[in-house]
Amino acid sequence: MLDLKSINKSWTLFLDRDGVINHEKELDYILNYKEFVFYDGTTEALKIFAEIFSTIIVVTNQRGIGRGLMSEEDLLDIHTNMLRDIKNTGGRIDKIYYNTSLDNDDPMRKPQPGMALQAKKNFPQINFLQSIMVGNNVSDMLFGRNAGMFTVFLKTTSPDLELPHDAIDLSFDRLIDFAKALHKS
């Protein structure tokens, strides 16, 4: 069980993007930064996380590139602008990993742990036993479990998911709710 009081600067936070940091487009992709809309409280949450976690990583599946709906340059533009806005409000994301493959079995595509393993190569201090994956889909939770992390489920896009669930340690309505719970502990 995840004890929020045990979390300190030695911990790592992994975040999904769409449906966690920003509103997800139903049955579609965020194709440019004009379509990217932060959830209320997200930048405040990221500021809180920056004070608590040593490393903050975003891991995101981005099939829109694989399907030819957007270019990798479009994705990098979204991320550049997102990072700028987060930094301007006192938050931080240390690195973004993304997978564009259409193949569900691609080792770098969630729920496979490839992006977590790549993050550990780039940030050797990451200890998966002291890491949390926050996501809005069961595949995010399975990604966390497959890498040996704790998991936090956000009900932003699947509020009716039946809980408790074997792959979920804690759940919150929004990212800011998780941040406030951490800040209080």
Side-chain angles (χ1 to χ4, degrees):
M1 186 66 169
L2 177 58
D3 177 11
L4 297 182
K5 291 180 175 140
S6 70
I7 296 169
N8 59 43
K9 268 293 205 192
S10 67
W11 284 62
T12 300
L13 181 65
F14 286 81
L15 300 167
D16 182 33
R17 195 192 81 184
D18 300 332
V20 172
I21 293 173
N22 60 284
H23 288 271
E24 189 171 87
K25 283 174 67 178
E26 190 172 344
L27 303 174
D28 203 354
Y29 302 96
I30 304 295
L31 301 177
N32 58 62
Y33 201 63
K34 288 183 217 148
E35 298 177 347
F36 184 97
V37 179
F38 284 105
Y39 277 112
D40 289 342
T42 293
T43 55
E44 179 186 346
L46 289 164
K47 184 177 180 180
I48 293 168
F49 295 147
E51 297 169 7
I52 296 171
F53 292 94
S54 65
T55 310
I56 302 172
I57 304 289
V58 169
V59 287
T60 179
N61 289 339
Q62 293 294 322
R63 275 192 176 159
I65 294 172
R67 291 191 169 145
L69 301 174
M70 62 190 295
S71 68
E72 193 164 6
E73 287 148 1
D74 294 329
L75 179 66
L76 295 175
D77 181 63
I78 291 168
H79 289 167
T80 297
N81 284 289
M82 177 188 78
L83 290 171
R84 178 204 62 222
D85 290 349
I86 290 167
K87 183 178 180 184
N88 287 344
T89 56
R92 168 177 54 83
I93 291 174
D94 298 299
K95 182 96 170 143
I96 300 172
Y97 296 89
Y98 58 90
N99 181 274
T100 64
S101 177
L102 300 177
D103 180 0
N104 285 333
D105 295 324
D106 185 298
M108 294 299 284
R109 183 171 181 74
K110 292 182 293 180
Q112 283 72 244
M115 286 188 278
L117 298 173
Q118 184 62 50
K120 181 146 177 65
K121 283 182 187 174
N122 296 135
F123 298 89
Q125 75 276 14
I126 291 175
N127 174 355
F128 293 131
L129 298 175
Q130 291 184 320
S131 296
I132 301 170
M133 174 62 198
V134 179
N136 65 311
N137 290 303
V138 172
S139 63
D140 297 320
M141 303 298 94
L142 294 173
F143 166 83
R145 285 289 192 255
N146 288 338
M149 299 180 211
F150 291 101
T151 60
V152 171
F153 179 76
L154 299 184
K155 300 174 188 177
T156 54
T157 59
S158 300
D160 299 327
L161 181 72
E162 194 171 316
L163 299 172
H165 189 286
D166 289 345
I168 298 172
D169 291 308
L170 295 174
S171 68
F172 294 90
D173 290 334
R174 300 169 305 147
L175 193 61
I176 187 62
D177 300 321
F178 173 48
K180 286 179 178 178
L182 267 174
H183 194 60
K184 288 179 188 176
S185 60

